[in-house]
C-alpha cells in the first residue's frame, strides 16, 4: 500500500509503511519533529498529543498509540506547525506565555495541541478537554486561565476548517513547518530547519518503516467481511487505543493487520423509533453525542471515559469486542438490553450483549466473524450508572454498576442490573434482580437485596480494589440508586456531618 497524508501542510507519501509504526515514533525518529513528546507511551499523559483533521473535522489524539496506516487521507498538525507561516504564535501559545502556564516544558506541547484543537472546535469545557494531559510542575490553574483567555480569539486562517478542506482535496499546501514531501523510507528526511537527525539516531541507520505484509485497509464492511473471512487470524484495528499498547508495552508483532478506518459505513448511527443502530466504528465521543439526549447518566459516564484524545479514537465496537471485564460501556448496555449483530462473510446473527461474554478472554465470536453493529434501546429513563475509580478523570473502573429498575405504584416491576469489575466478564446481577422484582420499593427491600450480591459475585482482589471492597461498594451502589430514584440528593464528592 501507499500511505498518503499531510503533515504540517505538506504532502507525505510512504510506500508499504509498517503496520505497527506509531505516529510518535515516525515524527521523532524519521522526521526529527521532537516537539511531540514520549511520556507514558500508552495514551495516558497527553505529552504526545497532535491535531488530526479529516472530513469530520479536527480532533486531538495520542500519537503514541496511533499507527501510521490510520492516517490515510488525513492532515496532521504537530506543535511545530501550529504557528502561522510568518512565525506569529498561535493564540494558545501566546496565552500560555502570558499566564505562566509552563515550567519544565515537557508537557507543554501536548497541552498546546489539546488547547489548540479545542479552540479550533469552539470547545470551552476546558477541564474535560485537558483531562487527558498530565502536568507535574506548573499545576492546572495557569493553564486553565490561558485556555479561558483565548475563548473569543479567532482561529488562525492556516488552521481554519476551510483551509484543511482545501489541503485534503489537494488544493493547498504549507501550514507552517515544512517536513519533507513525498518522502520514502529509502531517504530519511531532515527536520524542518534542515538540520541532520539527532546524533543518537544516525541517518545512516534510519528506523525501518517496511513490513513483510502490507496492512489491509478495506473501504467498507463488505470488503472487510471478505478479507476477514480469508484472514481470520488477522488483528482488527479500529482506534488502536487498546491494541496500541500490545505494541508499545507488550512489544507484540502484529501480522497481518486489518485497519478499519476506511469502513465508514460502520461509523454511522441510525435512529429508529425504539432503538439506535450503532456501527461498531462509532467513536466514544460520537456515541456520547448520540446518547446525551436520551440519558444524562450515560452522558456523564462517557464524559469520564478515558480522555478527549482517547474518546476521539476509541470505538464502541472495540470497547465491547476486546472482552474486558472492566470496559465501561458493556454494563449499562447490558442493563438496557442491548443486542449485537455479528457478521461472517454475508451471514449475520444477532445475540444479546450479555451472552457475548463467555469467560475471561473468551467471547461468542466465531473465526472470521466480527462485530458489525450494536442495537441500543432508547428507553433509558430509569438508567443509573455509577463508576468507582481511584481518579475521577482518566482512570479505569474498579467497580462500575448500571441499574435499570422500573417502579410502578411503589413496586418493582422490572430490574436489569449489570456490573463491571465484579467478575471475569461484565455480568448481570440475576439474584439481586430477583430479590427486587415484585417487592415494595423501600429500604427494607434494598437491605434484603444486598444479601443477594454474594450469590451473584465473588470479585477478585487486585491493585485497584480488594474483593471485600468491591462487594461492599457494589451493594452501596444499589442503595444509591434507591435514593437517587427517590429524589434524595446525595453527593459522592461532598461529605457533610
Amino acid at each position: 500500500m501507499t500511505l498518503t497524508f499531510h503533515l504540517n501542510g505538506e504532502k507525505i507519501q510512504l510506500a508499504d509503511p509498517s503496520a505497527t509504526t506509531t505516529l510518535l515514533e515516525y515524527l521523532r525518529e524519521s522526521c526529527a519533529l521532537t516537539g511531540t513528546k514520549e511520556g507514558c507511551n500508552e495514551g495516558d499523559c497527553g505529552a504526545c498529543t497532535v491535531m488530526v483533521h479529516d472530513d469530520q473535522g479536527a480532533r486531538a489524539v495520542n500519537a503514541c498509540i496511533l499507527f501510521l496506516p490510520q492516517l490515510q487521507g488525513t492532515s496532521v498538525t504537530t506543535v511545530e506547525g501550529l504557528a502561522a507561516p510568518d512565525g506569529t504564535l498561535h493564540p494558545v501559545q501566546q496565552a500560555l506565555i502570558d499566564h505562566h502556564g509552563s515550567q519544565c516544558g515537557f508537557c507543554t506541547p501536548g497541552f498546546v495541541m489539546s488547547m489548540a484543537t479545542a479552540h479550533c472546535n469552539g470547545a470551552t469545557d476546558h477541564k474535560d478537554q485537558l483531562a487527558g494531559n498530565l502536568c507535574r510542575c506548573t499545576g492546572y490553574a495557569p493553564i486553565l486561565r490561558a485556555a479561558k483567555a483565548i475563548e473569543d480569539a479567532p482561529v488562525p486562517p492556516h488552521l481554519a476548517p476551510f483551509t484543511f478542506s482545501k489541503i485534503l482535496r489537494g488544493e493547498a499546501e504549507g501550514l507552517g513547518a515544512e517536513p519533507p514531501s513525498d518522502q520514502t523510507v529509502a531517504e530519511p528526511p531532515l527536520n524542518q530547519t534542515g538540520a541532520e537527525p539527532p546524533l543518537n539516531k544516525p541517518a545512516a541507520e534510519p528506523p525501518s518503516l517496511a513490513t513483510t505484509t502490507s496492512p489491509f485497509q478495506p473501504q467498507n464492511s463488505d470488503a472487510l467481511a471478505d478479507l476477514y473471512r480469508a484472514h481470520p487470524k488477522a488483528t482488527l484495528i479500529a482506534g488502536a487505543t487498546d491494541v496500541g499498547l500490545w505494541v508499545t508495552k507488550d512489544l507484540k508483532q502484529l501480522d497481518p493487520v486489518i485497519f478499519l478506518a476506511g469502513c465508514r459505513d460502520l461509523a454511522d448511527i441510525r435512529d429508529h423509533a425504539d432503538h439506535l443502530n450503532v456501527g461498531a466504528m462509532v467513536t466514544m465521543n460520537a456515541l456520547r453525542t448520540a446518547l446525551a439526549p436520551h440519558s444524562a447518566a450515560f452522558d456523564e459516564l462517557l464524559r469520564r471515559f478515558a480522555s478527549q484524545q482517547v474518546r476521539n479514537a476509541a470505538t464502541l465496537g472495540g470497547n465491547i469486542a476486546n472482552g474486558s471485564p472492566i470496559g465501561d460501556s458493556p454494563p449499562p448496555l447490558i442493563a438496557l438490553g442491548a443486542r449485537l449483530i455479528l457478521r461472517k462473510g454475508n451471514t449475520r446473527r444477532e445475540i444479546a450483549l450479555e451472552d457475548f461474554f463467555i469467560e475471561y478472554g473468551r467471547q461468542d465470536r466465531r473465526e472470521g466473524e466480527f462485530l458489525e453493529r450494536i442495537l441500543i434501546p432508547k428507553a433509558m429513563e430509569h438508567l443509573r450508572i455509577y463508576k468507582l475509580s481511584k481518579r475521577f478523570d482518566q482512570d479505569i473502573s474498579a467497580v462500575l454498576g448500571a441499574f435499570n429498575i422500573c417502579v410502578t405504584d411503589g413496586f418493582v416491576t422490572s430490574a436489569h442490573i449489570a456490573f463491571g469489575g465484579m467478575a471475569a466478564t461484565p455480568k448481570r446481577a440475576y439474584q439481586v434482580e430477583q430479590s427486587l422484582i415484585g417487592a415494595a420499593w423501600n429500604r427494607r427491600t434494598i437491605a434484603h437485596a444486598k444479601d443477594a450480591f454474594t450469590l451473584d459475585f465473588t470479585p477478585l482482589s487486585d491493585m485497584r480494589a480488594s474483593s471485600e471492597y468491591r462487594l461492599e461498594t457494589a451493594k452501596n451502589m444499589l442503595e444509591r440508586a434507591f435514593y437517587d430514584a427517590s429524589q434524595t440528593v446525595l453527593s459522592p464528592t461532598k461529605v457533610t456531618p
Side-chain angles (χ1 to χ4, degrees):
M1 64 166 288
T2 297
L3 172 64
T4 302
F5 66 101
H6 286 76
L7 177 57
N8 293 334
E10 298 299 322
K11 186 176 181 180
I12 302 292
Q13 287 187 321
L14 300 174
D16 293 327
S18 166
T20 55
T21 295
T22 66
L23 174 59
L24 175 65
E25 180 183 356
Y26 174 71
L27 292 175
R28 295 183 64 84
E29 307 294 343
S30 295
C31 299
L33 294 175
T34 55
T36 307
K37 305 300 184 185
E38 179 179 322
C40 65
N41 213 21
E42 59 187 45
D44 277 345
C45 73
C48 66
T49 303
V50 298
M51 183 192 302
V52 174
H53 266 87
D54 57 19
D55 57 2
Q56 302 298 305
R59 65 187 190 276
V61 295
N62 292 308
C64 69
I65 50 173
L66 187 73
F67 297 125
L68 284 179
Q70 294 176 267
L71 299 174
Q72 186 73 272
T74 68
S75 180
V76 177
T77 304
T78 70
V79 70
E80 290 89 351
L82 202 57
D86 65 0
T88 302
L89 294 180
H90 188 282
V92 164
Q93 294 172 307
Q94 188 61 55
L96 279 171
I97 295 171
D98 296 340
H99 292 271
H100 310 287
S102 178
Q103 286 188 25
C104 83
F106 185 87
C107 70
T108 303
F111 272 96
V112 166
M113 295 312 299
S114 288
M115 295 164 71
T117 306
H119 178 254
C120 183
N121 292 327
T124 57
D125 52 338
H126 304 303
K127 290 185 179 180
D128 288 342
Q129 295 294 323
L130 296 176
N133 291 83
L134 177 64
C135 176
R136 292 194 180 276
C137 55
T138 303
Y140 289 86
I143 298 172
L144 291 171
R145 284 195 289 268
K148 182 73 175 175
I150 52 93
E151 286 181 354
D152 297 327
V155 176
H158 67 289
L159 296 176
F162 67 84
T163 300
F164 282 100
S165 295
K166 289 183 176 181
I167 289 174
L168 294 174
R169 293 196 305 266
E171 298 173 5
E173 299 287 338
L175 290 184
E178 297 185 359
S181 59
D182 299 336
Q183 66 190 47
T184 67
V185 298
E187 187 174 346
L190 303 178
N191 65 15
Q192 69 273 24
T193 63
E196 292 292 331
L199 293 178
N200 60 340
K201 298 292 182 181
E205 298 180 7
S208 175
L209 296 180
T211 181
T212 55
T213 302
S214 182
F216 297 109
Q217 289 191 313
Q219 296 304 298
N220 55 58
S221 57
D222 291 337
L224 168 60
D226 292 340
L227 267 175
Y228 199 39
R229 189 170 186 177
H231 303 276
K233 302 299 184 183
T235 299
L236 303 182
I237 297 182
T241 55
D242 186 18
V243 176
L245 275 68
W246 300 1
V247 174
T248 63
K249 296 301 181 180
D250 296 339
L251 305 181
K252 288 186 177 180
Q253 298 294 320
L254 305 180
D255 195 8
V257 170
I258 300 177
F259 286 96
L260 308 183
C263 299
R264 300 301 295 273
D265 58 331
L266 296 181
D268 67 328
I269 300 176
R270 306 167 188 172
D271 193 343
H272 296 272
D274 60 350
H275 72 279
L276 298 174
N277 186 323
V278 181
M281 282 292 294
V282 168
T283 66
M284 303 309 289
N285 264 341
L287 179 69
R288 181 187 174 193
T289 300
L291 293 183
H294 303 284
S295 172
F298 222 142
D299 178 43
E300 174 62 12
L301 172 67
L302 294 179
R303 183 179 75 85
R304 292 182 60 194
F305 184 101
S307 66
Q308 187 75 6
Q309 294 94 317
V310 171
R311 292 193 301 271
N312 281 331
T315 64
L316 177 59
N319 196 237
I320 293 171
N322 70 6
S324 171
I326 48 176
D328 281 354
S329 68
L333 292 177
I334 290 173
L336 289 171
R339 300 183 66 81
L340 306 181
I341 296 177
L342 300 166
R343 178 176 180 179
K344 180 177 181 178
N346 291 323
T347 302
R348 294 175 174 86
R349 65 186 177 103
E350 182 177 325
I351 65 171
L353 172 57
E354 64 186 276
D355 295 332
F356 180 68
F357 306 104
I358 299 173
E359 60 186 36
Y360 183 76
R362 183 181 171 213
Q363 297 83 48
D364 182 6
R365 189 173 63 84
R366 301 163 187 171
E367 187 174 85
E369 187 176 56
F370 64 93
L371 173 57
E372 185 175 42
R373 307 196 71 85
I374 303 95
L375 310 179
I376 306 176
K378 292 164 68 173
M380 304 182 190
E381 61 270 22
H382 303 299
L383 182 65
R384 289 176 172 81
I385 310 167
Y386 308 113
K387 173 173 178 169
L388 179 66
S389 56
K390 291 188 175 182
R391 300 192 308 266
F392 185 82
D393 288 310
Q394 179 82 335
D395 204 1
I396 295 172
S397 297
V399 178
L400 191 145
F403 302 83
N404 189 16
I405 302 172
C406 181
V407 179
T408 304
D409 297 328
F411 289 85
V412 179
T413 53
S414 67
H416 294 81
I417 302 172
F419 281 90
M422 293 288 288
T425 65
K427 186 181 177 185
R428 282 272 295 274
Y430 287 106
Q431 297 301 320
V432 176
E433 293 173 0
Q434 290 305 309
S435 68
L436 291 172
I437 295 174
W441 186 237
N442 55 37
R443 294 179 64 179
R444 179 176 296 179
T445 295
I446 297 300
H448 175 67
K450 283 184 173 183
D451 294 335
F453 270 84
T454 56
L455 302 177
D456 281 314
F457 302 108
T458 307
L460 55 76
S461 296
D462 60 17
M463 63 180 292
R464 296 185 183 91
S466 67
S467 174
E468 295 79 11
Y469 181 76
R470 282 188 161 104
L471 199 57
E472 190 64 25
T473 54
K475 295 176 183 179
N476 291 341
M477 286 179 179
L478 174 61
E479 186 169 358
R480 183 181 174 189
F482 168 76
Y483 284 116
D484 282 350
S486 304
Q487 297 184 337
T488 300
V489 178
L490 296 175
S491 173
T493 59
K494 182 178 180 181
V495 179
T496 56

